[in-house]
Amino acid sequence: MLCLDFKEHQCPYPLLESKLWLKRAQIGDQIQLLLGDSGSRSDIPKYFRRLGHAVTIEQNEHRFSVTITVQPLKD
């Protein structure tokens, strides 16, 4: 699984980079994004869920991460 640290970056950079990853990804591939700003924390999970991919959020006082698993496209 690829892990990208975007804690120091503002949206839309993390979203754009994760979209580029998705273009190269295959079904079952995973990426973990470490996010810092509230826009990314909100927008990225919504975007990938809307596309039909599995999204898991892990949050504690020191870290906010989103794991995305590529799913087959829905008809």
Side-chain angles (χ1 to χ4, degrees), residues 38-49:
S38 61
S40 295
R41 291 177 179 194
S42 172
D43 295 346
I44 290 175
K46 285 179 191 176
Y47 175 77
F48 283 94
R49 283 184 178 132

Side-chain angles (χ1 to χ4, degrees), residues 42-74:
S42 172
D43 295 346
I44 290 175
K46 285 179 191 176
Y47 175 77
F48 283 94
R49 283 184 178 132
R50 192 170 1 118
L51 294 178
H53 301 296
V55 176
T56 304
I57 296 173
E58 295 179 34
Q59 181 178 5
N60 64 39
E61 60 197 50
H62 304 289
R63 177 171 136 157
F64 186 98
S65 70
V66 175
T67 302
I68 300 160
T69 305
V70 178
Q71 302 294 310
L73 294 177
K74 296 180 181 179

Side-chain angles (χ1 to χ4, degrees), residues 25-44:
Q26 297 182 14
I27 295 170
D29 284 354
Q30 290 187 311
I31 188 171
Q32 181 180 47
L33 306 171
L34 305 178
L35 303 173
D37 78 298
S38 61
S40 295
R41 291 177 179 194
S42 172
D43 295 346
I44 290 175

